[in-house]
Amino acid sequence: ILIWMDGGPSHFETFDPKPDAPAEIRGEFAAIGTKTPGIQIAEHFPRLAQLSDKYCIVRSLTHDDPAHLSSVHHLLTGRHAPHVKSDKDPPSREDWPHLGAMLARLQPRGGSMPPFVMMPWFVSHPAAPGGVAPGQHGGQLGPGADPFLVQGDPSASSFRAPGLSLPDDLSLDRLESRHALIRQIEPQLRREEADAERAHFSRLRQEAFSMVAAPQVREAFDLAAEPDALRDRYGRHIHGQCLLLARRLTQSGVPLVCVNWHNDGQNFWDTHGNNFHQLKQRLMPPTDQGLSALLEDLAQRGLLDETLVVWAGEFGRRPRITANNAGREHWPRCFSAVLAGGGIRGGQLFGRSDARAEFPADDPVSPAHLAATIYHALGVDPGQYVAARDGRPVRLTEGSPIVRLFTG
């Protein structure tokens, strides 16, 4: 479960507070102790503070790209975007595939569940000329590797996953009859048009039919099946209910679910102004509630050991606060992420930032290293070679997994 905090969360006000730094650097929030001696996080994550034994904080992520769009590509794929340091370039088929798309290609699974789900939207930034960020779909693998996109607000009573319900005038028996007819005439079509495109389209149609026809798929997306108390624990807001839905989908066999921070109409975690008020009132409470509920829920069901949870954004925020608007600017040179489950040893810090959280003081971690660690946890060799769009063999990632994060 990849939890994507689009906009760039401030590491100072989340998982790397600097209580001894000067006021213009440390900011307004206090640091609080956690369940793990020696680990402090920001005061507005009280629930997460009590669960520190279940996650690892990486405090030394680093790269050099201050642009939102190309940095999103870098973090979500583990490779640089076709155009780096750019907010002008939307998604294209030149992009490297999202981790979920590549995982589905390298570890194909049968069954009716989609191999890669994203919700509740493709992240887009209103201040970026390119709009939608690259790196969120199948990229070079083609549209067949794009995620199953679940749009909307799962906390709304009217929420339904798109494309899984039949029209009122079309019964499942009638749909199956149509599908059987297609199967009868398709061999002739293939003989007449023996090309890869028709075969590819046939495969996609079969996958779509399997999803619509299988009741277990609709059941997996049905949040009404969850007890009210558990839904309340996650939070009756879009982020909390997306995380609960992610747990249901993971439990039902979806290999990778990406939960993006929703379109809140307020630049997401990109807190150039009024940083502390936005974090305290708008951003941190649903994060603390939802992420802590997810970790507890997975642990109580015995699923955390086999489910990797990653919380990250594209960069951090500048050490020095902007005095005239109490904001923080982009800062890719040093920032934090959280990893839990999937063999990750909880209750640990990896890497260390310097006294101002300006640069890594030791164990710098690139986006490629993070991607390699995710692949490693999911049983994929990050050093293997795959075919690029032009047929050249290239390494899956340019990084190495951080094996010290894992138990055993």
Side-chain angles (χ1 to χ4, degrees), residues 15-178:
F15 292 104
D16 193 8
K18 294 295 181 182
D20 298 325
E24 66 272 16
I25 293 173
R26 72 170 182 267
E28 299 176 7
F29 296 170
I32 58 172
T34 67
K35 189 175 182 179
T36 307
I39 296 181
Q40 292 184 316
I41 62 176
E43 63 176 314
H44 299 298
F45 278 164
R47 291 183 176 93
L48 287 169
Q50 298 307 308
L51 297 173
S52 60
D53 60 321
K54 290 181 169 48
Y55 57 81
C56 166
I57 303 172
V58 177
R59 287 180 170 171
S60 54
L61 273 163
T62 182
H63 61 84
D64 65 353
D65 188 343
H68 286 289
L69 267 58
S70 50
S71 289
V72 170
H73 181 287
H74 200 181
L75 269 293
L76 292 182
T77 70
R79 299 185 73 91
H80 288 92
H83 299 95
V84 298
K85 300 181 180 179
S86 171
D87 275 328
K88 297 180 180 179
D89 298 284
S92 78
R93 291 302 166 190
E94 298 300 319
D95 299 341
W96 195 252
H98 187 286
L99 291 163
M102 186 60 80
L103 180 67
R105 178 58 57 91
L106 295 175
Q107 291 185 331
R109 303 188 183 195
S112 302
M113 298 300 297
F116 170 29
V117 174
M118 182 175 287
M119 64 178 97
W121 71 320
F122 286 124
V123 295
S124 175
H125 201 288
V132 177
Q136 299 184 78
H137 62 10
Q140 297 181 16
L141 295 178
D146 290 351
F148 181 70
L149 181 63
V150 180
Q151 294 178 295
D153 181 357
S155 68
S157 59
S158 60
F159 173 77
R160 298 290 185 276
L164 298 181
S165 300
L166 296 176
D168 293 338
D169 61 347
L170 180 61
S171 67
L172 183 57
D173 287 343
R174 189 177 177 193
L175 177 66
E176 289 176 339
S177 296
R178 291 181 178 183

Side-chain angles (χ1 to χ4, degrees), residues 26 31 36 41 55 75 97 142 160 166 193 199 224 233-234 250 284-285 294 304 329 353 357 402:
R26 72 170 182 267
T36 307
I41 62 176
Y55 57 81
L75 269 293
R160 298 290 185 276
L166 296 176
E193 304 178 27
R233 172 65 182 91
Y234 273 86
T250 300
M284 296 179 74
L294 176 64
L304 188 57
E329 310 304 324
S353 62
I402 312 170

